Amino acid sequence: MRRKQENILTVTKIRDIPFIRVVSGINIVNDFPKHIHADLCIGIITHGKRIISAKGKSMLLDRDDIFVINPGEPHGCISPEMSSHSYVVINIEQRLISDIAKKLSIYRKEIIFENYITDKTDLTLRMKRLIDTLLNSNMLLDRESRLYSFLEMLIRYHSSSKKEIPVPEKRNSIIQKAKGHIDNNFIDEISLDELSQISGVSPFYLNRLFCSEVGISPHSYQIHRRIEKSKELLLKSGSIAEVSLNMGFTDQSHFSKFFRKIVGATPGNYIKHNMV
């Protein structure tokens, strides 16, 4: 006799980002009648199939398909042939979307998103990375960078507001201000809003410009600065635990993972072959 799979639904609040939640459904078999949500819901199918109805249209969604339910939009969900499916949904408060519209110079009362994105675009990969980062990264700047990058792409290419975002002048000055702030405060927790205020542009534009001009995200740049300083401190103290704590990492394993990725050796191996 085939064992029935357990249905699991979890809701995760994201530390330091109070306006979003991540909802994960595993082995869900249920038909949800027409209903509405106050928040914007951006979901991705991770297993099986799901039928979603919105704006008078029903769509059979498969693995890696993305669905977007606008705030206050009536919709229903069905498990085809009562087969189980799994999904992850990011719930975002409406006030954040309105704030984003202002920062992108979009003067609409509201942004209306497409309900179905099924062409397996780069957006799919970005959403998977965003979910992983929101649930597993200990770095605020990392979580914010991926969130803002994803939302900008969603707004630019999959909403009623499809328009080019104005490009400010003095790109080098903007980058230098952001880099300078990270250079002087790389041990501290830094947010995109903080960098945005210092550089004088929106967090969306700053994040995109930084990645384009520097070649890595603001978060990656901050990690590189920490690791460079760590190399110096490791050879002075010889204590991996002490250096990882002083450099702002949550624990030694977190520090060692980034150190090995960037330096190519573990902190212990680096000490062994370089300490006089």
Side-chain angles (χ1 to χ4, degrees), residues 12-80:
T12 305
K13 294 181 179 179
I14 307 303
R15 184 170 59 89
D16 298 323
I17 310 182
F19 46 76
I20 67 172
R21 299 182 308 281
V22 176
V23 180
S24 300
I26 300 175
N27 300 324
I28 303 299
V29 183
N30 202 358
D31 290 349
F32 297 93
K34 189 174 288 186
H35 59 288
I36 62 174
H37 300 291
D39 299 334
L40 173 70
C41 301
I42 309 168
I44 185 168
I45 306 298
T46 58
H47 172 76
K49 300 178 187 295
R50 177 180 185 141
I51 297 175
I52 296 183
S53 302
K55 294 191 183 83
K57 178 181 179 181
S58 295
M59 177 72 75
L60 176 62
L61 302 178
D62 207 338
R63 182 176 178 177
D64 289 344
D65 287 341
I66 292 175
F67 57 93
V68 185
I69 305 300
N70 294 283
E73 185 171 68
H75 64 286
C77 310
I78 298 175
S79 301

Side-chain angles (χ1 to χ4, degrees), residues 220-233:
S220 293
Y221 182 77
Q222 181 185 22
I223 290 294
H224 276 74
R225 292 290 289 109
R226 288 185 177 185
I227 295 301
E228 281 302 308
K229 185 63 176 179
S230 297
K231 288 160 66 178
E232 174 189 330
L233 296 179

Side-chain angles (χ1 to χ4, degrees), residues 59-100:
M59 177 72 75
L60 176 62
L61 302 178
D62 207 338
R63 182 176 178 177
D64 289 344
D65 287 341
I66 292 175
F67 57 93
V68 185
I69 305 300
N70 294 283
E73 185 171 68
H75 64 286
C77 310
I78 298 175
S79 301
E81 300 179 355
M82 294 305 290
S83 58
S84 67
H85 66 281
S86 302
Y87 58 86
V88 181
V89 174
I90 302 174
N91 286 350
I92 304 177
E93 292 182 15
Q94 171 63 28
R95 62 187 176 89
L96 174 66
I97 304 303
S98 300
D99 185 50
I100 288 171

Side-chain angles (χ1 to χ4, degrees), residues 153-259:
M153 176 171 277
L154 190 69
I155 291 171
R156 284 169 66 90
Y157 302 112
H158 300 283
S159 80
S160 59
S161 62
K162 299 172 186 174
K163 63 178 281 187
E164 285 300 311
I165 299 169
V167 179
E169 299 178 354
K170 302 181 180 177
R171 298 159 71 107
N172 187 59
S173 174
I174 293 168
I175 293 301
Q176 291 308 315
K177 288 177 181 177
K179 285 177 67 178
H181 186 70
I182 296 174
D183 288 340
N184 294 327
N185 303 276
F186 60 84
I187 297 174
D188 301 328
E189 192 78 278
I190 301 173
S191 70
L192 267 181
D193 276 339
E194 188 178 335
L195 293 175
S196 168
Q197 291 175 18
I198 288 165
S199 58
V201 294
S202 77
F204 297 91
Y205 180 72
L206 174 63
N207 190 56
R208 179 157 48 91
L209 182 62
F210 200 102
C211 291
S212 172
E213 297 293 318
V214 181
I216 56 177
S217 69
H219 166 254
S220 293
Y221 182 77
Q222 181 185 22
I223 290 294
H224 276 74
R225 292 290 289 109
R226 288 185 177 185
I227 295 301
E228 281 302 308
K229 185 63 176 179
S230 297
K231 288 160 66 178
E232 174 189 330
L233 296 179
L234 283 172
L235 300 184
K236 287 182 178 179
S237 70
S239 172
I240 299 172
E242 180 184 324
V243 171
S244 66
L245 180 63
N246 290 339
M247 285 295 99
F249 291 96
T250 53
D251 54 51
Q252 191 170 317
S253 64
H254 187 222
F255 166 64
S256 296
K257 182 185 85 170
F258 280 112
F259 192 95

Side-chain angles (χ1 to χ4, degrees), residues 107-120:
Y107 300 104
R108 294 176 181 268
K109 272 193 171 181
E110 58 181 345
I111 298 174
I112 305 299
F113 292 94
E114 298 173 3
N115 291 120
Y116 313 110
I117 305 169
T118 60
D119 50 359
K120 308 296 191 296

